[in-house]
Amino acid sequence: MNHQKSSTHVAAITRASTDSGTDILSEAIGSVRIGRAQACRVRESGSWGMRFPAFAGSGFHILLRGSGWLIPATGRPRALKAGDVVLTPFGAELGFSHAPGLLKDLPTAAAVVSEDRHSPDPADAEFLCGAYWLDHGQVHPYLRALPELLVVSPGHDRALQLRLLADLLAVDVSDTQPGSGATRPALLDLLLTHALRQWLEQNRDAERTEIDDPAIALALREIHSSLHKPWTVQQLGKSVGMSRTAFTKRFTAMVGKPPMTYLTGRRLSHGARLLRETKAPLATIARQVGYSTEFAFGAAFRREYGISPGRFRDLESRRTCGA
């Protein structure tokens, strides 16, 4: 998906969520929190380079000190300075190096991250890396609609906020005391949210690609606000005064996926959040997200996440308790 098309999809979803009172960014960040929260510090000196393979999830890399180069899979390398944040909204492959080069020439990060990365000795470059790895499900459509790599150079007003959060996460990474299972996801949430917010502010023109299509905006608003309704493509099209065929074609072109695929993803993502954040019975959650029975919800959930709702809730409960 090219950047222009990505921006169109971001704008469409953002506009509809704003109109319906939904905080789409919070929802997107909340959706990846069902993954495993991981973070580490990487220190490098001399001639160095490392490649991070693609993964299922969302993450970031912050250059805490020194300088280096971002090496993307496609496109030109980009110089980085201390304080720069590189976001991977849906886990794209990337690399870093002391000098411009090719991604294929870099060793994988796992092979170069040394055991003394927490050493007090000075290093030429130090990174803080964090990510949510999704064992189940897919990255939220809003994040997948963004460019595969986002570089944020915090302005003066935001630099201090991000630096304080980075310092807290760096301490958390080094801390072996109980409780990191609770604090790390919270810090990852804050860093991802602040960095994404800043990127969106710095790229308002990209987000504001003209989407003068009130029919699709209304359809998205109907979906977001009424997941419980037994929607069909024909009903959605009728609600905005369009034929089934015309509606499907226009919705798919703007949002990036067919109406029912998008609807199902929203339902199951919201269902996963309810499983994680509430103690509501499965039957209640099923009805809230548009399934007539918990069995229908369970079947759809297993197809999307590869695990039953009950098992998913049990694993999330254990993770929250630090297991």
Side-chain angles (χ1 to χ4, degrees):
M1 185 182 296
N2 61 40
H3 179 72
Q4 180 73 12
K5 195 171 183 180
S6 298
S7 299
T8 298
H9 298 161
V10 170
I13 297 171
T14 301
R15 178 176 295 183
S17 64
T18 299
D19 290 346
S20 63
T22 302
D23 183 348
I24 192 68
L25 183 57
S26 294
E27 180 180 305
I29 297 297
S31 72
V32 297
R33 202 180 181 196
I34 66 175
R36 288 177 288 117
Q38 296 187 337
C40 68
R41 293 172 68 176
V42 181
R43 295 161 48 86
E44 297 293 343
S45 293
S47 297
W48 58 271
M50 51 189 166
R51 174 171 51 86
F52 292 85
F55 70 100
S58 299
F60 60 83
H61 306 266
I62 303 175
L63 183 56
L64 296 177
R65 57 182 54 87
S67 61
W69 289 80
L70 166 64
I71 313 296
T74 58
R76 296 180 178 180
R78 174 168 174 168
L80 300 175
K81 63 182 184 300
D84 284 350
V85 183
V86 179
L87 293 161
T88 55
F90 49 94
E93 184 179 35
L94 79 165
F96 299 99
S97 180
H98 71 287
L102 298 176
L103 187 62
K104 66 180 181 64
D105 295 333
L106 300 179
T108 59
V112 299
V113 175
S114 58
E115 291 299 323
D116 66 343
R117 60 186 181 275
H118 304 311
S119 168
D121 297 333
D124 292 341
E126 182 172 352
F127 290 85
L128 179 64
C129 310
Y132 280 116
W133 289 67
L134 294 175
D135 297 317
H136 309 289
Q138 299 178 348
V139 176
H140 193 280
Y142 181 83
L143 297 176
R144 292 202 65 85
L146 293 167
E148 64 179 17
L149 296 178
L150 310 177
V151 180
V152 179
S153 296
H156 179 73
D157 58 332
R158 291 291 182 87
L160 179 59
Q161 293 176 341
L162 284 171
R163 183 57 196 235
L164 289 172
L165 289 171
D167 287 344
L168 286 171
L169 182 59
V171 171
D172 185 80
V173 168
S174 305
D175 192 356
T176 59
Q177 297 297 315
S180 62
T183 57
R184 191 160 303 165
L187 291 171
L188 287 179
D189 285 358
L190 287 168
L191 273 164
L192 280 170
T193 301
H194 277 270
L196 274 170
R197 227 182 249 160
Q198 175 126 5
W199 184 85
L200 290 170
E201 289 176 3
Q202 293 174 353
N203 293 270
R204 289 186 183 276
D205 290 340
E207 190 184 352
R208 286 179 180 174
T209 302
E210 290 302 318
I211 304 295
D212 294 322
D213 195 328
I216 300 305
L218 176 57
L220 285 166
R221 187 159 65 246
E222 291 282 2
I223 290 173
H224 295 174
S225 63
S226 304
L227 288 174
H228 64 283
K229 290 186 177 181
W231 292 113
T232 65
V233 177
Q234 185 171 354
Q235 288 171 335
L236 283 169
K238 185 178 180 180
S239 72
V240 297
M242 297 176 67
S243 70
R244 183 180 187 278
T245 302
F247 172 71
T248 299
K249 183 177 180 179
R250 192 183 301 182
F251 187 100
T252 303
M254 181 171 294
V255 180
K257 57 183 63 180
M260 297 311 291
T261 301
Y262 180 82
L263 173 62
T264 298
R266 294 283 297 197
R267 282 174 166 169
L268 296 176
S269 175
H270 188 59
R273 291 188 66 186
L274 292 174
L275 287 168
R276 186 185 69 235
E277 298 172 0
T278 75
K279 295 182 180 181
L282 292 183
T284 300
I285 292 176
R287 288 193 298 272
Q288 289 179 344
V289 297
Y291 290 90
S292 57
T293 68
E294 63 181 280
F295 303 106
F297 172 63
F301 195 91
R302 281 191 293 272
R303 284 194 297 271
E304 179 77 7
Y305 291 95
I307 189 174
S308 70
R311 179 62 175 159
F312 176 87
R313 171 175 270 175
D314 181 55
L315 290 175
E316 289 304 307
S317 176
R318 292 180 184 181
R319 183 178 294 137
T320 302
C321 293

